[in-house]
Amino acid sequence: MRPAYLTAARHLQLGREWAVEGDQERATQGYEEALRLLRTLPPERTRDVLLAHTHLAFFQTLVLLGDEAGQEHLHLGVSYARSTRDPLARAIAEECLSGLEAVL
């Protein structure tokens, strides 16, 4: 199971790198691949932390594209971040939520 986590984390990392480079299409493909893999694994803290980070990164990328579909990723990312209590995921979730409040 560990190789699956490493592979998912690598897809997440590549997705983030592509998003920073401005290649949102490849970034979303990376996130989708990470999510596809993570959803096949049994519930566990490591999986849930990776799900939180992936959903939040997906949301951030979709916001740059002006895509409304990102709201589902925000909801799921925040939920996973809260349940895992991962400090970094929670900080990213709070940043995403505060960005929404600033827009509203």
Side-chain angles (χ1 to χ4, degrees), residues 6-70:
L6 293 175
T7 302
R10 181 66 180 147
H11 285 298
L12 171 60
Q13 178 185 18
L14 287 172
R16 285 179 174 158
E17 289 174 10
W18 289 324
V20 168
E21 292 171 5
D23 192 346
Q24 275 74 19
E25 186 175 328
R26 283 181 73 191
T28 57
Q29 290 172 354
Y31 302 143
E32 286 170 355
E33 188 60 30
L35 291 174
R36 184 194 62 74
L37 183 56
L38 291 168
R39 288 177 181 144
T40 65
L41 301 173
E44 188 210 23
R45 186 175 190 279
T46 302
R47 180 201 77 147
D48 292 351
V49 168
L50 284 169
L51 280 168
H53 283 277
T54 304
H55 280 295
L56 292 169
F58 213 144
F59 166 75
Q60 291 172 320
T61 300
L62 291 175
V63 164
L64 293 174
L65 296 172
D67 191 332
E68 294 294 320

